[in-house]
Amino acid sequence: MGSTSEQHGQEGLGRRDLIKRSAAIGLISVPTMGFLSACATGGGGDEKDNKNGGGKTTEKNPLGVKKGAPLEAFIFKGGLGDQYAKDAEADYKKTYGAAVKHTGTQQVGPKLTPRFAGGNPPDVIDNSGADHLDMNKLSSQGQLQDLNVLLDAGSLDDPKKKVRELIHPATLEKGKHDDAFDVLYYAFTIYGTWYSKKLLDDKGWEYPKTLDEMVKLCGDIKKAGIAPWTYPGKYPYYVHFNLFAQIAKIGGMDKWIAIDNLEDGAWTDNDAVKQVVEFYEELAAKKYFLEGSQGLTHIQSQTKWNQNKAVFLPNGSWVENESAPTTPEGYQMSVGELFDGGSGDAMPHGSLRAEPSEPFIVPKGGKNPVGGMELLRIMLSKKHAQNFAKKVKSLTCVQGATEGMTLSPGLDSASKVFEAAGENLISIQLQEWYPALTDEKLGGLTGQLLTGDIKAAEWIKKAQAECDKVKKDDSIKKFKRSS
């Protein structure tokens, strides 16, 4: 509503992104995260945040945007496209009589790395996709605008209500680097197991409630001549959307937070890790994945899924928009909640991974950072939150913005499981804080697990070792969460 969502590129490019997302795992020719981290920045930003753009501060212009001040926006053009941003930019242009330069791209990092180094970044960036900028590095170097200025401004719909009052609390938490709120995750993504309700209904199958029921159903599906699962084997970290959350559901958020915090033995001393990774080992051993999945991109796996060559797909709620070109009419795209591991699960049935995605940042070094924040304020209006839902079939971080709207099948399903989950929501920081670890290192291990090249015990041992390496690497900034 996204992974971001992390979000994703077109054919041949994966999510980051991680979130997005969401770096790719080295199977495509892109700069490595290490390269982007090393040369994305050219030193610290301004000592003071930009709090006024030189214009008169009024109720309608709380940030003080200067009339006629040009704006430059760099928007990731992947699974969500970029028209929603263009629509908001048009309102900025109309309101302030200013020229807006828009760039829609899948190459955010490569195109903006030299600009940050040169001290001339754009005013606002949707930093998603496989080739994203290293936000942790940018934040630690003081190059990102603290968006508390935006949060404390009056909202577009009701100037008496601050922007922060309209945003989902998880968004306010996820966008922090230490004490600064410098990343606005605009979308809200539902991650899970996606399927065609029509296919299940036609075959008389029910979406499973437990891991054991899923294994049993996979046997019935295979007997019917259909592959139970597919996944984008070129970017196997997509499987982490489910795998990580399933561990948290069974073992509890406290134990998952230990993993996020790179604590000693967080993987090897967690029974839920063993249960979930062994579940995927069993799926692989019984050949419950579509043959050839290991060579598919995310687009190709979604196409196979749309063609009913496989029943289940691990993904985020951007998938409805991204796979629209190949989704047949009446497909009834749906998403299911996480599976129960047993009676001892730490979280109840109906628990769900749902969290902010699609990260927007405002560089301090841009020519018009206040204009960049104003564009975000426009995007956070009900008008543009609903426009986003209509155009890309995803929710934003604006609470209740889609009430009364007629939703597409996938978005309607995602909204229902989100509502049913209540407070039983799971958020994962590991992929946001350490994308090279999760997407390249752990993703590579997951790829081997799903092809049967390694067993669960080896996956767990090596995953712990990779996390330990990151923990001991002083060149990597560490983050810590308490909840």
Side-chain angles (χ1 to χ4, degrees), residues 74-203:
F74 237 80
I75 307 297
F76 176 67
K77 189 176 182 180
L80 302 179
D82 62 347
Q83 186 58 47
Y84 71 92
K86 290 180 179 179
D87 293 343
E89 290 162 13
D91 278 1
Y92 178 94
K93 181 177 181 179
K94 181 180 178 181
T95 301
Y96 297 104
V100 178
K101 181 179 180 181
H102 175 98
T103 300
T105 180
Q106 293 177 27
Q107 303 289 314
V108 178
K111 288 186 177 182
L112 293 184
T113 291
R115 292 189 57 180
F116 270 96
N120 65 329
D123 302 310
V124 62
I125 302 164
D126 172 14
N127 186 40
S128 197
D131 290 338
H132 66 294
L133 291 158
D134 186 341
M135 294 186 295
N136 299 332
K137 194 77 166 182
L138 292 171
S139 179
S140 65
Q141 292 187 340
Q143 297 223 47
L144 300 184
Q145 171 73 36
D146 190 328
L147 300 177
N148 275 297
V149 182
L150 167 65
L151 297 180
D152 289 332
S155 65
L156 199 71
D157 296 313
D158 183 358
K160 291 181 174 56
K161 278 192 174 181
K162 292 183 178 182
V163 169
R164 71 167 69 247
E165 296 177 61
L166 308 179
I167 294 176
H168 196 284
T171 302
L172 299 176
E173 181 62 31
K174 194 174 183 71
K176 289 181 180 178
H177 283 105
D178 296 325
D179 294 331
F181 177 82
D182 52 16
V183 183
L184 175 72
Y185 288 86
Y186 183 64
F188 210 91
T189 296
I190 304 302
Y191 297 93
T193 301
W194 291 78
Y195 62 95
S196 162
K197 187 175 184 300
K198 180 180 186 301
L199 177 59
L200 260 63
D201 289 347
D202 287 349
K203 297 293 185 179

Side-chain angles (χ1 to χ4, degrees), residues 8-14 28 76-79 106-107 232 234-235 238 295-304 322 326:
H8 304 70
Q10 302 298 328
E11 186 66 42
L13 283 177
I28 54 177
F76 176 67
K77 189 176 182 180
Q106 293 177 27
Q107 303 289 314
K234 286 197 172 183
Y235 319 114
Y238 271 65
L296 301 179
T297 65
H298 57 299
I299 297 294
Q300 291 169 337
S301 65
Q302 289 163 191
T303 299
K304 298 285 188 184
E322 190 170 63
T326 59

Side-chain angles (χ1 to χ4, degrees), residues 75-387:
I75 307 297
F76 176 67
K77 189 176 182 180
L80 302 179
D82 62 347
Q83 186 58 47
Y84 71 92
K86 290 180 179 179
D87 293 343
E89 290 162 13
D91 278 1
Y92 178 94
K93 181 177 181 179
K94 181 180 178 181
T95 301
Y96 297 104
V100 178
K101 181 179 180 181
H102 175 98
T103 300
T105 180
Q106 293 177 27
Q107 303 289 314
V108 178
K111 288 186 177 182
L112 293 184
T113 291
R115 292 189 57 180
F116 270 96
N120 65 329
D123 302 310
V124 62
I125 302 164
D126 172 14
N127 186 40
S128 197
D131 290 338
H132 66 294
L133 291 158
D134 186 341
M135 294 186 295
N136 299 332
K137 194 77 166 182
L138 292 171
S139 179
S140 65
Q141 292 187 340
Q143 297 223 47
L144 300 184
Q145 171 73 36
D146 190 328
L147 300 177
N148 275 297
V149 182
L150 167 65
L151 297 180
D152 289 332
S155 65
L156 199 71
D157 296 313
D158 183 358
K160 291 181 174 56
K161 278 192 174 181
K162 292 183 178 182
V163 169
R164 71 167 69 247
E165 296 177 61
L166 308 179
I167 294 176
H168 196 284
T171 302
L172 299 176
E173 181 62 31
K174 194 174 183 71
K176 289 181 180 178
H177 283 105
D178 296 325
D179 294 331
F181 177 82
D182 52 16
V183 183
L184 175 72
Y185 288 86
Y186 183 64
F188 210 91
T189 296
I190 304 302
Y191 297 93
T193 301
W194 291 78
Y195 62 95
S196 162
K197 187 175 184 300
K198 180 180 186 301
L199 177 59
L200 260 63
D201 289 347
D202 287 349
K203 297 293 185 179
W205 297 326
E206 289 188 9
Y207 182 81
K209 289 184 177 181
T210 69
L211 293 175
D212 288 343
E213 287 179 10
M214 169 55 82
V215 173
K216 183 178 183 302
L217 177 59
C218 285
D220 295 339
I221 292 171
K222 188 175 181 180
K223 289 176 184 176
I226 307 173
W229 288 82
T230 188
Y231 66 98
K234 286 197 172 183
Y235 319 114
Y237 54 78
Y238 271 65
V239 177
H240 296 165
F241 300 156
N242 282 11
L243 190 153
F244 288 177
Q246 194 67 62
I247 290 171
K249 194 271 182 197
I250 295 173
M253 279 305 301
D254 286 349
K255 289 190 176 180
W256 180 264
I257 288 171
I259 292 175
D260 277 344
N261 290 341
L262 303 176
E263 292 182 14
D264 293 342
W267 292 96
T268 53
D269 298 339
N270 187 336
D271 290 339
V273 172
K274 183 175 185 293
Q275 183 177 0
V276 173
V277 180
E278 286 182 348
F279 164 75
Y280 281 96
E281 177 189 308
E282 184 174 4
L283 295 184
K286 292 182 175 178
K287 300 189 183 304
Y288 287 158
F289 293 107
L290 177 68
E291 186 176 354
S293 290
Q294 66 268 29
L296 301 179
T297 65
H298 57 299
I299 297 294
Q300 291 169 337
S301 65
Q302 289 163 191
T303 299
K304 298 285 188 184
W305 175 62
N306 284 160
Q307 294 170 342
N308 288 333
K309 292 182 179 179
V311 178
F312 299 114
L313 179 78
N315 221 306
S317 48
W318 62 80
V319 68
E320 184 174 25
N321 190 63
E322 190 170 63
S323 68
T326 59
T327 304
E329 188 174 351
Y331 188 77
Q332 293 181 268
M333 192 175 293
S334 301
V335 62
E337 62 279 339
L338 291 164
F339 309 115
D340 294 345
S343 59
D345 286 9
M347 298 182 71
H349 185 74
S351 296
L352 190 71
R353 181 179 176 187
E355 59 185 294
S357 59
E358 206 66 19
F360 277 77
I361 54 177
V362 175
K364 278 187 187 177
K367 293 180 180 179
N368 186 13
V370 170
M373 288 191 287
E374 177 65 8
L375 180 65
L376 296 180
R377 194 174 77 97
I378 292 170
M379 289 172 59
L380 292 168
S381 66
K382 188 171 183 178
K383 169 186 174 182
H384 286 283
Q386 291 194 346
N387 183 55

